[in-house]
Amino acid sequence: MMAGFVFRLYRERQVLGTGWGVRLGIMTMMAISIFIRRVMMPMCCINMMVVAVSSGKGLGVVSLDYDGDGDTDLYVANDTTPNFLYRNEGGRFEDVGIEAGVAFNAQGRTQAGMGVDVGDVDGDGRSDIFVTNFSYETNAIYQSRTGGFFMEGSVSTGIAGVSLLPLGFGTHFFDYDNDGDLDLFVANGHIFSNVKAFSLAESYLQMDQIFRNTDGRFEVVSAGVEVPGVSRGSAIGDLDGDGDLDLVVLHSGQRARVFRNEGGNSGHWIAVKLVGGMQQMRQGFSNRDGIGAVVHVSAGGKIQVREVRSQSSYLSVSDLRLHFGLGNARRVDRIEVRWVSGRVQVLEDVGVDRVVVVEEIDVP
């Protein structure tokens, strides 16, 4: 299916290194230890924060507040071992991946987890988790249910069949057409350059995929990113400031590619940039970038929820500004920011097609 707009290959740039240990041109990866240091606790108290250690082969990591209790949890996609979901218990992280339903696929098997992202794909206000996997393993989407539990829904959402052969790495939930729901990007590329020698159905160079979200079900669309390559890391952001999200994709042994979104800004939009109070070294305020804050945007009869995070995809970090597609809505009724400090700020009757900067302040 044609997307009705196109991502044009804007530029290819040479990046040193391979796809296994790359540094993305926009920002660098933030490790879990740095995340805890910057977001969870001040430096003087870092030794108090404990992560319950499990045996795993982590490749993708993402932060989220999956249980809605106001603190930041961690999800780790593992290669051939059960995935981890570390629940933050106020000074200690405990792995609850198995009981929450995000450790295995729908058949109860481990997969080769690579990249990961989080987003509310069905509009229920809760975070769903997406994980890219190896060839002959479908990518997994864990749909959030009440009580902190998840249901693996790759078949019901249309992901399973079209993700069976590609080998996925970088991935993003993002609203590429500004219609108000989260679509999906997957960067694909095999790890064996000679894969054709033992599997005629597979190839080393593969095409990336964009999926359109229609009422919680995904369909592959032809959008201009279908250029064969060995994709690894990827990042999103409005690089040209025209109101839609562009893509940067890194490749193993090849030039990085910048895809400019042309036509995705036909709908209205708003972007929210958070500035935490700790930039002025004030105690009891949130970190400078607002990482971990949750933002609710109400417009056109719909409430969208995003969380500021500094890591997702595969070895990549995207723009920290939160982008919301608004469709035909001409005003934003309400923006609610829930900072990690516990403060809540509200803006009402906000104009569209603009970047709104929200600085954390003392709220009575």
Side-chain angles (χ1 to χ4, degrees), residues 6-7 185-186 206-210 221-228 247 257 259:
V6 67
F7 281 89
F185 170 79
V186 178
Q206 300 181 359
M207 293 188 294
D208 298 336
Q209 296 169 303
I210 285 185
V221 294
S222 177
V225 301
E226 301 82 15
V227 182
L247 280 164
R257 293 172 179 167
F259 291 98

Side-chain angles (χ1 to χ4, degrees), residues 299-319:
K302 178 184 292 188
I303 300 177
Q304 300 183 55
V305 183
R306 304 274 196 279
E307 184 174 333
V308 182
R309 55 180 54 93
S310 60
Q311 73 302 312
S312 63
S313 187
Y314 174 75
L315 297 181
S316 307
V317 178
S318 294
D319 191 347

Side-chain angles (χ1 to χ4, degrees), residues 13-296:
R13 295 293 299 273
Q14 186 67 44
V15 179
L16 297 178
T18 68
W20 290 102
V22 299
R23 175 173 173 173
L24 197 59
I26 296 180
M27 303 175 190
T28 57
M29 179 186 179
M30 179 176 290
I32 292 179
S33 60
I34 300 176
F35 168 82
I36 293 173
R37 202 158 54 232
R38 289 187 59 190
V39 181
M40 303 301 302
M41 302 189 72
M43 285 289 290
C44 60
C45 302
I46 187 61
N47 291 331
M48 297 171 57
M49 185 63 72
V50 178
V51 175
V53 178
S54 303
S55 176
K57 304 173 184 177
L59 290 177
V61 61
V62 68
S63 62
L64 72 160
D65 181 9
Y66 85 95
D67 50 4
D69 63 354
D71 55 25
T72 303
D73 313 297
L74 296 171
Y75 183 81
V76 181
N78 286 314
D79 183 5
T80 70
T81 62
N83 301 321
F84 301 148
L85 177 59
Y86 287 112
R87 183 173 61 202
N88 186 344
E89 297 187 342
R92 181 178 177 84
F93 286 94
E94 180 182 357
D95 179 20
V96 296
I98 294 178
E99 49 262 54
V102 295
F104 307 101
N105 68 3
Q107 290 73 43
R109 300 188 180 97
T110 59
Q111 295 180 290
M114 304 289 189
V116 61
D117 202 7
V118 171
D120 178 16
V121 300
D122 49 12
D124 63 0
R126 296 187 294 265
S127 295
D128 308 299
I129 303 172
F130 183 78
V131 182
T132 57
N133 293 303
F134 210 83
S135 298
Y136 289 104
E137 296 178 347
T138 64
N139 293 334
I141 182 168
Y142 300 98
Q143 297 176 287
S144 181
R145 299 292 183 256
T146 58
F149 297 101
F150 293 80
M151 181 73 69
E152 205 288 311
S154 58
V155 173
S156 62
T157 58
I159 294 295
V162 291
S163 66
L164 184 62
L165 280 180
L167 198 165
F169 277 88
T171 186
H172 304 282
F173 285 127
F174 74 128
D175 188 357
Y176 70 74
D177 51 3
N178 283 350
D179 67 348
D181 54 27
L182 289 176
D183 308 297
L184 180 65
F185 170 79
V186 178
N188 296 311
H190 216 284
I191 63 172
F192 300 126
S193 59
N194 64 338
V195 64
K196 280 291 186 184
F198 51 86
S199 177
L200 293 178
E202 300 176 74
S203 61
Y204 183 51
L205 277 67
Q206 300 181 359
M207 293 188 294
D208 298 336
Q209 296 169 303
I210 285 185
F211 299 80
R212 172 183 288 154
N213 182 352
T214 304
D215 297 327
R217 185 172 176 84
F218 292 95
E219 182 179 12
V220 176
V221 294
S222 177
V225 301
E226 301 82 15
V227 182
V230 189
S231 300
R232 295 293 187 258
S234 60
I236 57 172
D238 186 1
L239 300 180
D240 50 4
D242 65 348
D244 53 30
L245 293 173
D246 309 297
L247 280 164
V248 179
V249 184
L250 213 62
H251 295 81
S252 178
Q254 299 173 314
R255 293 179 181 271
R257 293 172 179 167
V258 179
F259 291 98
R260 184 167 57 192
N261 189 342
E262 297 186 355
N265 56 3
S266 58
H268 293 296
W269 60 278
I270 195 166
V272 180
K273 174 179 173 59
L274 299 186
V275 181
M278 277 186 64
Q279 67 162 350
Q280 299 176 7
M281 302 303 293
R282 294 184 291 181
Q283 294 298 318
F285 281 77
S286 304
N287 61 87
R288 179 190 61 191
D289 295 315
I291 297 170
V294 178
V295 177
H296 295 69

